[in-house]
Amino acid sequence: MSGISHVNSKRISQKEGTVLLEKEYMRLAITLARGMKGQTTPNPPVGAVVVNDGAIVGLGAHLAYGEKHAEAIALDMAKEKAEGGTVYVTLEPCSHYGKTGPCADYLIDKKVRRVVIACRDVNEKVAGKGIARLQSAGIIVEEGFLFDEARSLYDVFFHFISRKRPFVTLKAAMSLDGKTATSSLESKWITNEAARMDAHAYRHEHDAILVGINTVLEDDPKLTNRLPEGRQPVRIVLDTDLRTPLAANVASDGLAETWIFVGSHIAASKIESFDSPHVRIIQMDDETVEIKRVLEWLGREQISSVLVEGGATINGSFLKDKLIDKLVIYMAPIVIGGEQAPGAFAGKGFARLKDALELHIQEVTMVEGQIKIVATKEENDVYGNR
């Protein structure tokens, strides 16, 4: 025995080793971007890493709307070491003037040699123009690198840009047999504290949280994010007949903005009774409050994502119109049973299986003994080229 331990007889070629390193660089950029998800709205979260001579010389993440983009932050950190280096960035660099100058121009000015991109931007202001500008300056551009790992960063942004309405995530907590309460309507708490706190991360990531008036009347929720340093989403209540009590938490606590959607038949005097500066009453043109029109209105207000935490009636309305883009379910290891115990979705549902909303399961994890399932629509048409 020579005393040499051969852990793996297969030699890793220089090319394979380079690819492994590059994956780590891009994964670092993805991690930087993921930490900003929800914080940059209506801009997308972006991460960037600058590498030169085998060393990381710059890191950056877009922190907030109107502030420096990830590429600029990373390049500023790298300083003169950016010249001749490679930049790994999760989204195609912008090529237009907005709140900041074009990142493509900054990359050119810094004389980087190569730019590796995970996702092409579908925003018509960019959409390949950033790549073209870099290439015209002689910079090597590679796109689609770790696309599948990065694409979830842009589910909200690409959906909002393409459809002009918010990305909708619907969250529900239930028993193993799909019940959200007992036959006596006892529902607090089906899931444990860990699952409930996990759900608060979604409040942080979304621009708004939406419920129906029945949830307000029955539970008087605060609808706030209770994570330390978590941002507060706009609280949206669908309340056709304006039954929200003036003393309800969402109308009186001042902890976050509240937008209440009401029908056209509501008297001006009743609307004026809500004189709190953080409460806004939006009166629709029709006597009913239609979800599609609410989402269109929110899109015009630059609300790019909505978290639905309503009851079965609201959930059923979103399901009926197939307006659920992501479904997050927490399941407790209990079986409630009973024909009268409610499920997560009311309404008639779909009569034929072929008409049902089809989702793709993205994640199945355990949260301290409870099951978390995340499923999404497959929307390849909005996700740039690989």
Side-chain angles (χ1 to χ4, degrees):
M1 295 289 291
S2 65
I4 298 175
S5 176
H6 295 280
V7 177
N8 189 340
S9 60
K10 181 182 177 182
R11 291 179 177 274
I12 299 177
S13 68
Q14 184 175 1
K15 182 178 180 180
E16 288 173 325
T18 300
V19 171
L20 287 173
L21 271 176
E22 293 204 311
K23 286 182 177 180
E24 292 308 308
Y25 297 144
M26 183 61 82
R27 284 178 180 137
L28 177 54
I30 292 170
T31 299
L32 290 168
R34 186 166 287 123
M36 298 299 111
K37 194 166 185 182
Q39 186 170 304
T40 61
T41 185
N43 282 356
V46 180
V49 175
V50 184
V51 177
N52 206 338
D53 288 332
I56 295 173
V57 295
L59 301 171
H62 181 41
L63 299 179
Y65 177 67
E67 296 188 10
K68 276 187 178 181
H69 289 187
E71 301 95 316
I73 294 172
L75 290 169
D76 286 347
M77 180 184 290
K79 297 181 180 178
E80 69 277 357
K81 293 179 181 178
E83 184 173 347
T86 296
V87 179
Y88 299 84
V89 61
T90 56
L91 187 67
E92 176 183 1
C94 62
S95 55
H96 63 288
Y97 285 89
K99 294 288 184 180
T100 64
C103 290
D105 287 355
Y106 203 37
L107 288 161
I108 293 168
D109 292 343
K110 290 293 185 177
K111 299 179 181 179
V112 304
R113 183 182 67 86
R114 179 168 164 257
V115 176
V116 181
I117 300 165
C119 300
R120 178 180 288 219
D121 199 337
V122 301
N123 186 346
E124 61 183 11
K125 294 180 179 179
V126 186
K129 298 182 182 72
I131 291 172
R133 185 172 296 186
L134 293 172
Q135 290 174 328
S136 67
I139 295 173
I140 300 168
V141 178
E142 298 175 22
E143 62 170 305
F145 189 68
L146 295 193
F147 173 88
D148 288 334
E149 295 184 30
R151 62 180 289 179
S152 64
L153 291 169
Y154 304 112
D155 50 6
V156 168
F157 178 67
F158 287 173
H159 180 280
F160 181 64
I161 287 292
S162 300
R163 288 164 175 74
K164 312 302 181 188
R165 60 175 173 80
F167 182 95
V168 174
T169 300
L170 191 147
K171 180 189 77 68
M174 62 184 66
S175 62
L176 286 177
D177 56 333
K179 304 296 185 180
T180 59
T182 66
S183 58
S184 64
L185 301 184
E186 180 187 351
S187 61
K188 290 186 177 180
W189 295 99
I190 285 181
T191 53
N192 61 21
E193 178 67 16
R196 295 195 296 275
M197 291 308 295
D198 184 82
H200 276 270
Y202 290 98
R203 292 187 179 185
H204 172 75
E205 291 181 0
H206 286 73
D207 293 343
I209 179 171
L210 183 149
V211 299
I213 181 57
N214 288 335
T215 296
V216 173
L217 295 176
E218 293 168 10
D219 300 334
D220 192 21
K222 291 182 179 294
L223 302 180
T224 52
N225 181 1
R226 289 188 281 280
L227 293 179
E229 304 301 324
R231 71 178 185 130
Q232 299 298 342
V234 175
R235 302 178 292 194
I236 295 173
V237 180
L238 304 188
D239 183 7
T240 301
D241 298 316
L242 192 49
R243 294 186 290 152
T244 299
L246 291 174
N249 282 317
V250 293
S252 64
D253 64 17
L255 296 177
E257 285 189 69
T258 298
W259 298 354
I260 303 174
F261 285 80
V262 303
S264 60
H265 60 286
I266 302 302
S269 59
K270 191 172 185 180
I271 293 175
E272 289 168 2
S273 67
F274 289 81
D275 60 356
S276 172
H278 75 278
V279 177
R280 182 178 182 185
I281 309 296
I282 297 98
Q283 192 162 25
M284 307 302 283
D285 293 334
D286 300 321
E287 290 192 2
T288 58
V289 176
E290 295 183 7
I291 288 176
K292 282 185 178 179
R293 297 192 65 189
V294 169
L295 292 179
E296 290 170 358
W297 191 95
L298 292 174
R300 291 192 292 272
E301 291 291 305
Q302 296 299 298
I303 297 293
S304 62
S305 59
V306 171
L307 176 64
V308 178
E309 290 195 9
T313 300
I314 288 292
N315 292 351
S317 297
F318 274 89
L319 178 62
K320 172 179 169 289
D321 292 330
K322 295 188 176 181
L323 291 171
I324 301 169
D325 300 300
K326 178 185 288 186
L327 180 63
V328 180
I329 293 177
Y330 295 92
M331 299 185 75
I334 59 174
V335 177
I336 293 174
E339 294 181 0
Q340 302 305 313
F345 296 90
K348 294 182 179 179
F350 299 104
R352 298 180 296 181
L353 286 175
K354 70 175 186 178
D355 295 328
L357 175 64
E358 183 177 355
L359 300 172
H360 299 260
I361 294 177
Q362 303 295 327
E363 176 188 341
V364 180
T365 54
M366 298 296 294
V367 182
E368 292 195 11
Q370 306 202 335
I371 302 169
K372 176 183 176 183
I373 301 172
V374 178
T376 62
K377 283 181 181 177
E378 191 66 36
E379 305 244 53
N380 289 326
D381 58 313
V382 299
Y383 290 106
N385 298 322
R386 290 178 182 268

